[in-house]
Amino acid sequence: MAPSATPARKERDVISIADLSSNIETLLKRAAELKELRRLRKPHRNFEGRAMAMIFEKPSTRTRSSFELAMTDLGGHAVYLSSKDMQLGRGETISDTARVLSRYYDVIMYRAFRHEDMLELAKWATIPVINGLDDIEHPCQIVADLLTLWERWGGKFSSRQLTYIGDGNNVLNSLMLGAAMVGLDFVAATPPGYRPKPWVIKRAESLSLAKGSTVRVVDSPEEAAKGADALYTDVWISMGDEAQEKQRMAAFKGYQINSHLLSIAKKGAFALHDLPAHRGLEITDEVMDGPDQAIWDQAENRLHAQKAILEYVLS
Ligand code: CP
Ligand code: NVA
């Protein structure tokens, strides 16, 4: 039974990429500055003594490393908590966990299976909560992706088309919203049974309207690739979807970024992937190891983007 006093969500929670809609450009500029500071090895320990709890219900390479390093570079401290090793795994409630962690830390980053649990943690924590991926969104990834595109396109998004090929999952949801927020024309090709939720498309349409850009969802990867400046994909089987392996492998056949699809896109177009990749499925070795991709920049930019997000929530 939920306790009766239910605190409201806090202004600095980052649960959806849309929570950053009014700050996204400032955030990208700051991330680029932080990247330069790190390249020059100039200290930027602006948050000495601050502490972050990182709760992981699922594995991670990039999110864990980038957040932990970001906090260290900012002069703070990050503590990795695997939900399996916490009392959370033995039945302690999310609300009790949130209230206890709020007494120790300044911010919580949470990678959850269920979006409902993300909202529950944010509701009860008295400190900001950052979504490090759940079944609905992956906002921190998309800040890094937008930074990557911003760098590639000289700080301009207008008249650029970003195309996504594959599953209508957490990454597509956040990418579609994020693209709309910065005024990119966005096209997604998904198999009909794997479309993003209608409310995500509606939300993206309303964000894009304000920017004068467009959002489209189609069936055909070839149709989506036409006119694209960048092609983005993600795994066909996300963490938590493993039981659907057989039907997903059949449904996503053809939803692959390969040299043929890149040849349909605009001249100079490149591939993006949030990683981890399943080479030979959603993307070929040839593309991943070739020159027409910005995948490793995306991975690096997680660090700089996460740092900018941390500065924003801790300020
Ligand atoms: N892209 C991403 O979030 O990677 P990890 O699962 O390794 O954190
Ligand atoms: N959609 C993928 C992203 C991994 C970073 C998943 O949820 O597993």
Side-chain angles (χ1 to χ4, degrees), residues 16 115 136-137 173 177 196-204:
S16 166
H115 189 65
I136 301 291
E137 285 219 40
N173 290 343
L177 294 168
K197 299 257 184 304
W199 68 263
V200 178
I201 302 174
K202 272 213 175 75
R203 184 86 212 272

PDB file of all heavy atoms in Angstrom, residues 16 115 136-137 173 177 196-204:
ATOM      1  N   SER A  16      12.769  11.857 -18.824  1.00  0.00           N
ATOM      2  CA  SER A  16      12.568  11.828 -20.277  1.00  0.00           C
ATOM      3  C   SER A  16      13.533  12.832 -20.892  1.00  0.00           C
ATOM      4  O   SER A  16      13.862  13.846 -20.261  1.00  0.00           O
ATOM      5  CB  SER A  16      11.133  12.239 -20.599  1.00  0.00           C
ATOM      6  OG  SER A  16      11.011  12.530 -21.978  1.00  0.00           O
ATOM      7  N   HIS A 115       9.652   1.503 -16.372  1.00  0.00           N
ATOM      8  CA  HIS A 115       9.507   2.957 -16.269  1.00  0.00           C
ATOM      9  C   HIS A 115       8.738   3.338 -14.995  1.00  0.00           C
ATOM     10  O   HIS A 115       9.030   4.357 -14.367  1.00  0.00           O
ATOM     11  CB  HIS A 115       8.767   3.456 -17.516  1.00  0.00           C
ATOM     12  CG  HIS A 115       8.723   4.948 -17.648  1.00  0.00           C
ATOM     13  ND1 HIS A 115       9.858   5.712 -17.836  1.00  0.00           N
ATOM     14  CD2 HIS A 115       7.682   5.820 -17.615  1.00  0.00           C
ATOM     15  CE1 HIS A 115       9.508   6.991 -17.912  1.00  0.00           C
ATOM     16  NE2 HIS A 115       8.200   7.084 -17.780  1.00  0.00           N
ATOM     17  N   ILE A 136      11.148   2.563 -21.466  1.00  0.00           N
ATOM     18  CA  ILE A 136      10.504   3.603 -22.282  1.00  0.00           C
ATOM     19  C   ILE A 136      11.516   4.590 -22.859  1.00  0.00           C
ATOM     20  O   ILE A 136      11.352   5.060 -23.984  1.00  0.00           O
ATOM     21  CB  ILE A 136       9.443   4.386 -21.449  1.00  0.00           C
ATOM     22  CG1 ILE A 136       8.368   3.430 -20.917  1.00  0.00           C
ATOM     23  CG2 ILE A 136       8.795   5.498 -22.274  1.00  0.00           C
ATOM     24  CD1 ILE A 136       7.450   2.831 -21.961  1.00  0.00           C
ATOM     25  N   GLU A 137      12.545   4.938 -22.110  1.00  0.00           N
ATOM     26  CA  GLU A 137      13.471   5.974 -22.596  1.00  0.00           C
ATOM     27  C   GLU A 137      14.941   5.698 -22.251  1.00  0.00           C
ATOM     28  O   GLU A 137      15.243   4.919 -21.333  1.00  0.00           O
ATOM     29  CB  GLU A 137      13.073   7.343 -22.012  1.00  0.00           C
ATOM     30  CG  GLU A 137      11.836   7.925 -22.698  1.00  0.00           C
ATOM     31  CD  GLU A 137      11.947   9.421 -22.908  1.00  0.00           C
ATOM     32  OE1 GLU A 137      13.038   9.925 -23.268  1.00  0.00           O
ATOM     33  OE2 GLU A 137      10.921  10.077 -22.711  1.00  0.00           O
ATOM     34  N   ASN A 173      12.312   5.984 -28.891  1.00  0.00           N
ATOM     35  CA  ASN A 173      11.432   6.963 -28.224  1.00  0.00           C
ATOM     36  C   ASN A 173      12.196   8.241 -27.875  1.00  0.00           C
ATOM     37  O   ASN A 173      11.769   9.339 -28.205  1.00  0.00           O
ATOM     38  CB  ASN A 173      10.853   6.375 -26.932  1.00  0.00           C
ATOM     39  CG  ASN A 173       9.841   5.276 -27.199  1.00  0.00           C
ATOM     40  OD1 ASN A 173       9.332   5.153 -28.307  1.00  0.00           O
ATOM     41  ND2 ASN A 173       9.548   4.469 -26.186  1.00  0.00           N
ATOM     42  N   LEU A 177      12.005  12.077 -29.756  1.00  0.00           N
ATOM     43  CA  LEU A 177      11.695  13.279 -28.972  1.00  0.00           C
ATOM     44  C   LEU A 177      12.867  14.270 -29.036  1.00  0.00           C
ATOM     45  O   LEU A 177      12.668  15.470 -29.231  1.00  0.00           O
ATOM     46  CB  LEU A 177      11.399  12.908 -27.513  1.00  0.00           C
ATOM     47  CG  LEU A 177      10.133  12.071 -27.272  1.00  0.00           C
ATOM     48  CD1 LEU A 177      10.110  11.533 -25.838  1.00  0.00           C
ATOM     49  CD2 LEU A 177       8.875  12.875 -27.549  1.00  0.00           C
ATOM     50  N   PRO A 196       6.844   2.745 -32.470  1.00  0.00           N
ATOM     51  CA  PRO A 196       6.838   3.444 -31.179  1.00  0.00           C
ATOM     52  C   PRO A 196       5.391   3.690 -30.746  1.00  0.00           C
ATOM     53  O   PRO A 196       4.494   3.707 -31.589  1.00  0.00           O
ATOM     54  CB  PRO A 196       7.548   4.767 -31.462  1.00  0.00           C
ATOM     55  CG  PRO A 196       7.854   4.791 -32.909  1.00  0.00           C
ATOM     56  CD  PRO A 196       7.396   3.541 -33.560  1.00  0.00           C
ATOM     57  N   LYS A 197       5.183   3.900 -29.451  1.00  0.00           N
ATOM     58  CA  LYS A 197       3.827   4.131 -28.921  1.00  0.00           C
ATOM     59  C   LYS A 197       3.238   5.420 -29.521  1.00  0.00           C
ATOM     60  O   LYS A 197       3.962   6.413 -29.670  1.00  0.00           O
ATOM     61  CB  LYS A 197       3.888   4.301 -27.401  1.00  0.00           C
ATOM     62  CG  LYS A 197       4.426   3.096 -26.671  1.00  0.00           C
ATOM     63  CD  LYS A 197       3.294   2.322 -26.021  1.00  0.00           C
ATOM     64  CE  LYS A 197       3.787   1.151 -25.196  1.00  0.00           C
ATOM     65  NZ  LYS A 197       4.631   0.176 -25.871  1.00  0.00           N
ATOM     66  N   PRO A 198       1.940   5.418 -29.824  1.00  0.00           N
ATOM     67  CA  PRO A 198       1.317   6.616 -30.421  1.00  0.00           C
ATOM     68  C   PRO A 198       1.549   7.885 -29.609  1.00  0.00           C
ATOM     69  O   PRO A 198       1.763   8.956 -30.177  1.00  0.00           O
ATOM     70  CB  PRO A 198      -0.172   6.251 -30.460  1.00  0.00           C
ATOM     71  CG  PRO A 198      -0.202   4.762 -30.474  1.00  0.00           C
ATOM     72  CD  PRO A 198       1.006   4.294 -29.715  1.00  0.00           C
ATOM     73  N   TRP A 199       1.588   7.795 -28.259  1.00  0.00           N
ATOM     74  CA  TRP A 199       1.776   9.022 -27.470  1.00  0.00           C
ATOM     75  C   TRP A 199       3.179   9.604 -27.649  1.00  0.00           C
ATOM     76  O   TRP A 199       3.368  10.821 -27.577  1.00  0.00           O
ATOM     77  CB  TRP A 199       1.445   8.813 -25.979  1.00  0.00           C
ATOM     78  CG  TRP A 199       2.384   7.901 -25.211  1.00  0.00           C
ATOM     79  CD1 TRP A 199       2.199   6.592 -24.938  1.00  0.00           C
ATOM     80  CD2 TRP A 199       3.655   8.252 -24.623  1.00  0.00           C
ATOM     81  NE1 TRP A 199       3.271   6.086 -24.232  1.00  0.00           N
ATOM     82  CE2 TRP A 199       4.163   7.087 -24.016  1.00  0.00           C
ATOM     83  CE3 TRP A 199       4.396   9.432 -24.559  1.00  0.00           C
ATOM     84  CZ2 TRP A 199       5.390   7.068 -23.351  1.00  0.00           C
ATOM     85  CZ3 TRP A 199       5.625   9.410 -23.899  1.00  0.00           C
ATOM     86  CH2 TRP A 199       6.110   8.242 -23.303  1.00  0.00           C
ATOM     87  N   VAL A 200       4.144   8.727 -27.947  1.00  0.00           N
ATOM     88  CA  VAL A 200       5.509   9.228 -28.184  1.00  0.00           C
ATOM     89  C   VAL A 200       5.525   9.981 -29.517  1.00  0.00           C
ATOM     90  O   VAL A 200       6.078  11.082 -29.621  1.00  0.00           O
ATOM     91  CB  VAL A 200       6.547   8.079 -28.204  1.00  0.00           C
ATOM     92  CG1 VAL A 200       7.939   8.616 -28.495  1.00  0.00           C
ATOM     93  CG2 VAL A 200       6.546   7.321 -26.891  1.00  0.00           C
ATOM     94  N   ILE A 201       4.883   9.405 -30.516  1.00  0.00           N
ATOM     95  CA  ILE A 201       4.847  10.055 -31.841  1.00  0.00           C
ATOM     96  C   ILE A 201       4.129  11.407 -31.727  1.00  0.00           C
ATOM     97  O   ILE A 201       4.615  12.421 -32.231  1.00  0.00           O
ATOM     98  CB  ILE A 201       4.156   9.140 -32.881  1.00  0.00           C
ATOM     99  CG1 ILE A 201       4.892   7.798 -32.974  1.00  0.00           C
ATOM    100  CG2 ILE A 201       4.090   9.824 -34.242  1.00  0.00           C
ATOM    101  CD1 ILE A 201       4.229   6.757 -33.867  1.00  0.00           C
ATOM    102  N   LYS A 202       3.010  11.411 -31.001  1.00  0.00           N
ATOM    103  CA  LYS A 202       2.248  12.671 -30.826  1.00  0.00           C
ATOM    104  C   LYS A 202       3.084  13.735 -30.122  1.00  0.00           C
ATOM    105  O   LYS A 202       3.109  14.896 -30.508  1.00  0.00           O
ATOM    106  CB  LYS A 202       0.996  12.402 -29.966  1.00  0.00           C
ATOM    107  CG  LYS A 202      -0.188  11.973 -30.761  1.00  0.00           C
ATOM    108  CD  LYS A 202      -1.485  12.495 -30.101  1.00  0.00           C
ATOM    109  CE  LYS A 202      -2.696  12.171 -30.958  1.00  0.00           C
ATOM    110  NZ  LYS A 202      -3.062  10.745 -30.873  1.00  0.00           N
ATOM    111  N   ARG A 203       3.776  13.326 -29.072  1.00  0.00           N
ATOM    112  CA  ARG A 203       4.609  14.260 -28.304  1.00  0.00           C
ATOM    113  C   ARG A 203       5.722  14.829 -29.199  1.00  0.00           C
ATOM    114  O   ARG A 203       5.999  16.022 -29.193  1.00  0.00           O
ATOM    115  CB  ARG A 203       5.207  13.511 -27.102  1.00  0.00           C
ATOM    116  CG  ARG A 203       6.019  14.337 -26.158  1.00  0.00           C
ATOM    117  CD  ARG A 203       5.145  14.997 -25.107  1.00  0.00           C
ATOM    118  NE  ARG A 203       5.660  16.295 -24.677  1.00  0.00           N
ATOM    119  CZ  ARG A 203       6.520  16.487 -23.702  1.00  0.00           C
ATOM    120  NH1 ARG A 203       6.952  15.468 -22.996  1.00  0.00           N
ATOM    121  NH2 ARG A 203       6.932  17.693 -23.381  1.00  0.00           N
ATOM    122  N   ALA A 204       6.333  13.925 -29.982  1.00  0.00           N
ATOM    123  CA  ALA A 204       7.412  14.359 -30.887  1.00  0.00           C
ATOM    124  C   ALA A 204       6.848  15.309 -31.940  1.00  0.00           C
ATOM    125  O   ALA A 204       7.475  16.323 -32.268  1.00  0.00           O
ATOM    126  CB  ALA A 204       8.062  13.146 -31.545  1.00  0.00           C
TER     127      ALA A 204
END
